[in-house]
Amino acid sequence: MSIYKKILVAIDLTEEAPQVLNKAVEISKAHGAELMLVHVVEPVGYAYGGDIPMDLTELQDQLDKAAKEQLAGYGEKYNVGKDNQIVTVGRPESEIHRLSEEQDVDLVVVGSHGRKGFQLLLGSTANGVLHGTVCDVLAIRIQ
Ligand code: AMP
């Protein structure tokens, strides 16, 4: 019996995403596991610090829509169905923690740049995901 039944792969939709996805897909196949594709859209308010008096709802909707389209493209390419494509809004680490528990995932796969020194002190998403996720976490080293 396979040790992993449900795998969540978090992707940032950069050109590095396929490096993480390729391995997650192989691992899910090897384990006969269900694969969930997740992207977290950061709230536009974060970028503007919330101090510009303007309605950002439309911009946020556009970002969500663009992310959903990109995720759908990956879903098609990697054979992950619509029900397993998730776009949510928030902080990537927190959303990945929440989803992994809510969805009863047993492995989370993220990319890692292997930062050192000061960059590491500032924190990475992989590090944030590791601290707080209750299931196993696999960090794919990004080349
Ligand atoms: P970073 O620490 O930002 O370089 O990101 C490293 C990895 O964290 C990426 O390869 C993804 O696996 C994951 N990640 C970062 N940002 C997001 C995001 N917005 N949504 C989902 N996963 C993300």
Side-chain angles (χ1 to χ4, degrees), residues 121-132:
L121 275 180
L122 288 178
S124 66
T125 309
N127 202 37
V129 168
L130 179 63
H131 298 283

Side-chain angles (χ1 to χ4, degrees), residues 7 11 19 23 25-26 39 45-46 49 66 70 72 75-76 78 81-82 90-91 95 99 109 111 128 138-139:
I7 299 174
I11 54 168
Q19 289 186 44
K23 289 200 174 164
V25 167
E26 288 310 313
H39 176 70
Y46 284 10
Q70 256 185 292
E76 204 170 315
Y78 289 88
K82 277 258 172 261
R91 271 189 61 230
E95 284 303 291
L99 282 168
V109 180
L138 174 67

Side-chain angles (χ1 to χ4, degrees), residues 10-12 20 38-42 92 96 109-113 115 124-126 142:
I11 54 168
D12 57 10
V20 181
V38 172
H39 176 70
V40 185
V41 180
E42 299 199 37
I96 294 164
V109 180
V110 286
S112 165
H113 288 98
R115 294 184 179 97
S124 66
T125 309
I142 290 169

